[in-house]
Amino acid sequence: MAILRVMQPAFTSGELSPALWARVDVDKYRSGLKVAKNIFIHPHGGASNRSGLEFIGRTRGSGFAILLPFIFDAETDQTYNLEFSHLKMRVYRAGSPVLEAAKAITGISVAANGVVTSAAHGFANGDEVFLSGVAGMSALNNRNFIIRNVTANTYQLEDLLGVALSTLGMPSYAGGGTARRVYEIASPYTAEELRRVVFAQENDVMYLTHQAHPPMKLSRLGDANWLFSPLTFVPQIAKPTGVKGTVYFKRKTGSVANIGYRVSAVSASGAESAASAGVTVGVQYENEDGRRVRLTWNASTGAALYRIYRSDGSTGILAETPIAEIEIDQTQYQGDGTAIPSASATGAPPVPTGVTGAIVYGKEMKYVVAAISDETGEESLPSEPATLRNDMVYRGNRNALFWTATPGAGSYVVYRLDNGRYGYVGKTETTSFTDENITPDLASGPQEGYNPFDSAGNYPACVNFYEQRLAMGGTANVPAGLWLGQSANYENFGAASPVKASDAITLRIRSKEKNQIRAISESRGMAVFTTANEFNVAGSGEEIMTPTNMVVKKQSNRGSSWLQPIAVGDVMLFALARGGVIRDYSYEFSNDNFTGQDLTIMSRHLFEGRQVVSWAFAQSPYSIVWVVLDNGQCVSLTYMREHEVWAWTRHETDGQFEAVNVVAEGDEDAVYFVIRRTVDGKSQRYIERMHSRLFAVSEDAFFVDSGLSYEGAPTKTMRGLHHLEGKVLVALADGNVVRDLVVTNGTVTLPIAASKVHVGLAYEAELRTLDIDLGNVGELGTVQARNKAIANITLRVEKTRGIWAGPAEDALVELKQREFENWSEAIRLATGDVELTPTADWTKGGTMIIKQFDPLPMTVLAIMPDLRVAA
């Protein structure tokens, strides 16, 4: 019986579904695993145990919360985690909550519920504060408490588990100390709404949408100064005010006559009233210069029109009008000879009364002025109209306009009404403009303000950016509606008539069934994800999208969940509406379409009956998508499309994962979780950050959950563990593993003093191979289902210590590594080939199990067992 050396050089298929355990014909079988628990896969093929989770803090009131990233400038570490809980928002920077200014403590009583004295502290019941610098009662330092029983100058405290702070048994207060409130502001969103809050960020502003609320803007003014404000959807620059004008015109001389006018009312059937009393107007009728005769009167009930008669020489009808006013040219004075009615016909309207007449100059000319922002180039809404009377047919006549300066304006645009529409007549950098009969350009008019999201039912479900526009979509009233603001003017959804290329865009994506837009993303065009389909919206050809240049193309018929897609390089990942499926989505040049593949097909057992509720992508250093499922489990996807790597693994902890977020911190993308744990019999929600895995010596290894670290003078006492009260912990103390540490009053005691300690909850990492397959081996044929024994296991590892391996759970042996170290020195990390000889055991599968029980690093690059196969 020969001994065969087998090798699995990579694990880039991750944990495969049991349904594939017989598919030895599939390429991914050779790099797959049966179990990958608390393991992640490197893009180059190796497998490592995940880092531990550092305790950051408790969510507000330990209530449900999500985390949103706010990344202003990763190069200067201006990156934040925003904790959204029920109607509140908190801010974290570099793994610490942002705190308000310190309030001095001047006394703390010794009592079953000690009273803190702090003059004019300004705290309120329920506030969370951080205490530090207290002399005497040093056990209170560097801890968070909840404020209770507030008076103007005193308050009491309870710990985060709801236990009133007793200072009995503590040394007396010896002075000093401060309390800093955890910074938080009111948020519009309830805990039940948080999963569907969608955001898009640009610089210091984040736009947020939810169908139950008007779109909001969140502005960062400082670390401890954030502001929610509703969007107004009007230009940021105000419209001009105080628009007035002066008319300049020349009068001609000529013959003048006093002309008499009378008015009659005519019914729809033609019955005419008697003429009104007369009015006389002095008219220069010889030389036209733009003057007009304006007549007005009181309306007559039942009148369909009015007839205007000249009542002196040249008697007869001059004009007819349907309204109770008219303007007659100064040379229009010859009547048609019709007799003026002296009596009303049967059924005629009442005789008009109140006839007045006057000379006016020219015709009404209406102007509006818009301001242009000197900073952004955005155009304001038009001013209120200014009306002047002139007739600029005559040379030299002109209208001079002037207005009040608008703050922030670099120039102004003037429009004039012509045939019912305003058209462009000029631009000026001053607050005045002269119109000398400029022909209005009706192809360029002022914009009209528009807020498509002005009431309940019209609030958008999602938001993003596309081609320098703010895009929102999916209201309850118009589920397939899509709105894009003006180019580079995000909050301006107005448009001119006729529309300009930079105007806001409104469209509705048509389909055969009701389609709710759930997400918008930018790719080669605007990717729109709906309940039933995926669409690409863009300008035709390579042109940008404008109100008159839009092309909507359906790409696939998958349907998306409410979870927002994430970008991984030039690929998007999205979760399907049903079935717990995740697909990638990218442009394929060969068929000019967006296509993708099911990324969960090989690991369906991780997703069956589940939905994805939260996910985030950590590009650096391992290109991993962290995914939280609705049952509190966490899975991770190592994804590198260009190398055809996608590998799923699963992660467990003493509790349930509820949310995940990633923000850039230093040279890595930091992964944050919201985790629900049971502590001291109560459910608690904690924010925890995955520790960096970049370290050189075992003393720096952090592989505990909800953990804390200490570095300083050697000590046996680890404090500050109140969030794990009553829990059994494990520690790595100066590189040595210490188990069975029970937290009492927030403290554990080490058997030996150490200067560098990482302490927290233990977790186990496991890597289990698939059944060995060698293809057809001589006369044996396949080795599947034949008895096999592992004679020896060679592991190629990197920076590894403390692992166990073997063919079965009860046959694991420890890798013995201590070799050249000094007696007090921690065992060094191994890199290279190491060997283990497991307990002899015949199995059908030849599966190998590798486990890490200790808070130590493990990276396996290849597994090479020596195998005996029974005939």
Side-chain angles (χ1 to χ4, degrees), residues 188-205:
Y189 310 109
T190 66
E192 294 74 20
E193 295 169 340
L194 294 177
R195 292 285 193 202
R196 292 194 182 178
V197 173
V198 181
F199 69 94
Q201 182 195 341
E202 194 217 28
N203 291 326
D204 259 338
V205 174

Side-chain angles (χ1 to χ4, degrees), residues 680-819:
D680 204 21
K682 297 180 180 179
S683 180
Q684 302 287 339
R685 287 183 173 89
Y686 297 151
I687 298 173
E688 301 182 22
R689 175 176 61 184
M690 185 167 286
H691 196 279
S692 171
R693 220 179 178 284
L694 303 180
F695 55 86
V697 295
S698 57
E699 290 89 340
D700 293 330
F702 190 104
F703 290 89
V704 293
D705 283 352
S706 204
L708 295 176
S709 295
Y710 168 82
E711 186 171 1
T715 182
K716 287 186 176 182
T717 304
M718 284 291 294
R719 304 184 186 277
L721 295 164
H722 299 84
H723 66 288
L724 295 176
E725 187 68 27
K727 290 285 189 180
V728 179
L729 308 185
V730 64
L732 189 69
D734 287 340
N736 299 305
V737 178
V738 182
R739 292 190 171 274
D740 301 322
L741 301 171
V742 179
V743 182
T744 304
N745 294 324
T747 302
V748 297
T749 302
L750 302 172
I752 300 175
S755 59
K756 184 176 289 187
V757 183
H758 311 294
V759 60
L761 297 168
Y763 62 94
E764 176 186 295
E766 177 182 353
L767 183 153
R768 186 176 302 213
T769 65
L770 294 166
D771 291 357
I772 291 177
D773 184 71
L774 303 176
N776 289 319
V777 182
E779 296 179 357
L780 289 178
T782 181
V783 299
Q784 290 287 315
R786 291 184 182 273
N787 284 326
K788 308 173 190 68
I790 306 297
N792 193 64
I793 301 175
T794 300
L795 301 176
R796 188 159 293 164
V797 299
E798 181 183 18
K799 295 181 181 178
T800 296
R801 177 184 149 196
I803 60 176
W804 295 66
E809 292 279 358
D810 58 358
L812 300 179
V813 295
E814 184 180 9
L815 173 64
K816 304 296 184 181
Q817 289 180 243
R818 182 171 287 276
E819 187 173 3

Side-chain angles (χ1 to χ4, degrees), residues 380-394:
S380 75
L381 293 177
S383 67
E384 296 302 316
T387 302
L388 304 177
R389 297 192 68 100
N390 206 336
D391 192 335
M392 290 191 292
V393 170
Y394 302 98

Side-chain angles (χ1 to χ4, degrees), residues 286-299:
E286 183 176 6
N287 295 311
E288 178 69 72
D289 60 4
R291 276 180 277 193
R292 301 168 67 81
V293 178
R294 177 174 174 78
L295 302 173
T296 62
W297 55 90
N298 299 322

Side-chain angles (χ1 to χ4, degrees), residues 524-577:
R524 185 185 173 94
M526 181 168 55
V528 180
F529 297 87
T530 74
T531 50
N533 310 107
E534 292 73 54
F535 296 88
N536 187 62
V537 183
S540 60
E542 297 297 323
E543 297 180 3
I544 64 171
M545 189 162 68
T546 70
T548 57
N549 180 30
M550 295 175 287
V551 179
V552 179
K553 291 184 179 180
K554 185 168 68 175
Q555 304 297 309
S556 57
N557 301 296
R558 305 293 180 180
S560 174
S561 74
W562 283 105
L563 193 73
Q564 296 302 292
I566 56 177
V568 181
D570 59 352
V571 179
M572 285 176 287
L573 307 186
F574 73 103
L576 267 58

